[in-house]
Amino acid sequence: MKRKLIAAVGAAALTATMAACGSDDSSDGGGGSADSITVWLMSGSAPDPWVEELNAAFEEEHGVEVNVEIQQWEGIQDRLTTALSEDGTVDVLELGNTQAVGYANTGGLADLSELSEEPWTESMLESAVVDDTFYSIPWYGANRVVVYDQSIWAEAGAEVPTTRDEWIEALELIDENTEAEPIYLPGQTYYVMGGFVADEGGAFAAQNGDEWEGTLNSPEVEAGLGFYGELQEFSDAPTDIDEGEPQQSTDVVPNGDVASWVGLPWEVVNATTAIEEAGGEADWGFFPVPGKTADELGHVFLGGSNLAVAERAGDQELARAWLEMATSQEWSQRFNDAMDGTVVPNRSDVTAEPAAGTFAEAMVASADVGFLPPLTPGWANVEVEPNPIKDLMTKVLNGEDFSSVAEEADTEMTTRLNRE
């Protein structure tokens, strides 16, 4: 089942110029008196049958109509900014998890603290809470795993690694014993690199009082990028591109002899489809990104989506009721089952038992060591090209001095993080 998760997994853009969305007496819509509510969901996020069954159950219980409006990720920032600054445009909305804190900070989202005691997946909560207040609820997560061609690895005599060192050893065997590219890894895949930084205890940025500052010029970032560089030496990919241009799953992997790559669930679906359409057969295996030692997996960027209630919703009471039902144990379990293991569950009481050897098994295994970028509206400014983290990676991989390049990048990061 094809599910386009990329925009939710990638850190979504969010400007800091959103109009303040203060609450007033009309924000509760009169306490559940509306005859309909409007729900914004993103294209590809939820299977149609799940949405239809959920809404039928809600409508039967509450006697109101649910109008679901499917949104596209492209341009969603501007549409959300407008909708959340107006009364009654949307009641419940889906947000990329890196968007949620920014909209909460600008007053656009309602306080959902009454749902704080539910057994939410711990690694997803950081994006839902601001100053100990819940402004959104985790809906689903997804993270990258290592995808490998089992036949090439068998030819090379390489085994699935459990540590970083074993990962390098496997790539060396593939390089020595086959004609395949051991790993496809462009020089600017910075969320993969960020996981290695998190393994070292580092981060891209940190909050200092009311301000944010870049923390790239640190031993932790240098070590994380150093390991990324070790992997990248086994790749033929340029150092000045990321995994999206060209898209690795459709433009690279199906058209070359690639032994392994780091990808998301939707990318595996697309790569498999492209290979089969060309008359081939995919022979994938999957393993979590290894950690420094065998007793802890490597950190991975945990993307995904949250659900929230607009502060200016036409009817907050009904909106909260819909969100509470949608994220209940029953409907979260149904959602997880409908997604066929392509997402990390939002609740610890949802049963997720993916089949052995599947992408889902490897993905769920890493969910507890997920990390997120700095959750601040200014993060969107960092991701605008030229991205200082990407530039840092390219320069260092091309042999420039880490400290001087990182110091320059931190100056730019700090400016962008605090820009209004």
Side-chain angles (χ1 to χ4, degrees):
M1 190 184 323
K2 183 176 180 181
R3 299 291 170 205
K4 295 184 179 179
L5 300 178
I6 185 171
V9 174
L14 175 62
T15 62
T17 58
M18 174 180 171
C21 301
S23 61
D24 55 34
D25 291 340
S26 65
S27 66
D28 66 1
S33 61
D35 57 7
S36 68
I37 60 170
T38 299
V39 177
W40 281 14
L41 299 180
M42 304 310 300
S43 177
S45 285
D48 290 341
W50 180 86
V51 175
E52 292 165 2
E53 292 167 10
L54 169 67
N55 288 340
F58 183 83
E59 290 170 359
E60 181 178 359
E61 181 174 335
H62 294 274
V64 298
E65 182 180 1
V66 180
N67 298 317
V68 175
E69 298 180 359
I70 301 300
Q71 305 292 317
Q72 302 301 316
W73 284 106
E74 184 176 356
I76 189 59
Q77 165 191 319
D78 292 336
R79 294 194 298 278
L80 284 172
T81 298
T82 300
L84 293 176
S85 63
E86 298 175 345
D87 291 335
T89 301
V90 60
D91 296 289
V92 182
L93 60 152
E94 176 185 350
L95 298 161
N97 63 350
T98 57
Q99 293 177 314
V101 169
Y103 283 116
N105 279 330
T106 54
L109 308 181
D111 183 343
L112 300 173
S113 294
E114 70 272 16
L115 298 176
S116 64
E117 298 303 316
E118 294 295 303
W120 308 117
T121 299
E122 187 68 28
S123 58
M124 297 184 184
L125 287 180
E126 186 179 356
S127 68
V129 180
V130 178
D131 295 332
D132 298 323
T133 300
F134 274 69
Y135 286 101
S136 62
I137 300 300
W139 190 22
Y140 65 77
N143 53 261
R144 293 169 176 84
V145 306
V146 183
V147 187
Y148 70 100
D149 187 306
Q150 296 186 93
S151 60
I152 295 176
W153 279 54
E155 177 187 350
E159 297 182 355
V160 172
T162 61
T163 66
R164 285 187 185 180
D165 289 342
E166 291 178 0
W167 194 2
I168 296 295
E169 291 170 4
L171 298 180
E172 289 174 341
L173 287 173
I174 294 165
D175 191 39
E176 295 168 359
N177 299 324
T178 76
E179 297 299 317
E181 181 178 3
I183 186 170
Y184 179 78
L185 185 65
Q188 295 185 344
T189 307
Y190 65 107
Y191 277 129
V192 172
M193 189 273 286
F196 304 145
V197 171
D199 289 345
E200 303 290 341
F204 292 147
Q207 192 165 12
N208 185 4
D210 293 333
E211 301 290 309
W212 283 81
E213 57 187 19
T215 55
L216 298 173
N217 191 14
S218 67
E220 293 82 8
V221 173
E222 184 173 16
L225 180 52
F227 179 67
Y228 186 95
E230 289 186 55
L231 294 176
Q232 216 275 327
E233 288 181 359
F234 291 97
S235 178
D236 298 332
T239 60
D240 60 351
I241 64 170
D242 62 21
E243 74 280 16
E245 294 290 342
Q247 172 48 239
Q248 63 181 6
S249 66
T250 54
D251 301 327
V252 178
V253 172
N255 301 315
D257 210 10
V258 176
S260 63
W261 47 292
V262 185
L264 291 158
W266 69 267
E267 291 183 295
V268 174
V269 172
N270 287 353
T272 301
T273 299
I275 290 171
E276 292 175 348
E277 287 178 349
E281 184 177 350
D283 186 23
W284 307 127
F286 312 99
F287 60 85
V289 172
K292 299 176 70 174
T293 62
D295 59 356
E296 185 173 2
L297 295 173
H299 285 74
V300 289
F301 171 61
L302 184 61
S305 279
N306 294 359
L307 292 172
V309 171
E311 178 65 19
R312 293 178 180 247
D315 194 310
Q316 270 200 24
E317 183 174 323
L318 287 171
R320 291 167 186 271
W322 188 94
L323 185 148
E324 187 171 4
M325 177 179 284
T327 59
S328 66
Q329 194 283 331
E330 176 188 356
W331 286 97
S332 292
Q333 183 68 62
R334 291 192 186 192
F335 180 79
N336 185 76
D337 294 343
M339 293 298 284
D340 197 25
T342 59
V343 296
V344 177
N346 64 334
R347 301 173 60 103
S348 60
D349 55 0
V350 168
T351 302
E353 297 180 352
T358 62
F359 186 102
E361 181 187 46
M363 181 177 67
V364 171
S366 297
D368 288 341
V369 284
F371 81 96
L372 291 169
L375 295 174
T376 170
W379 182 250
N381 299 325
V382 174
E383 296 202 313
V384 173
E385 300 294 344
N387 182 321
I389 303 174
K390 289 184 176 183
D391 285 351
L392 165 71
M393 295 174 70
T394 296
K395 290 176 180 178
V396 173
L397 291 174
N398 288 346
E400 295 190 36
D401 176 68
F402 173 83
S403 183
S404 60
V405 173
E407 183 176 358
E408 180 182 344
D410 274 338
T411 299
E412 180 65 18
M413 286 270 288
T414 300
T415 299
R416 294 192 186 193
L417 286 165
N418 297 297
R419 181 184 301 155
E420 295 185 357

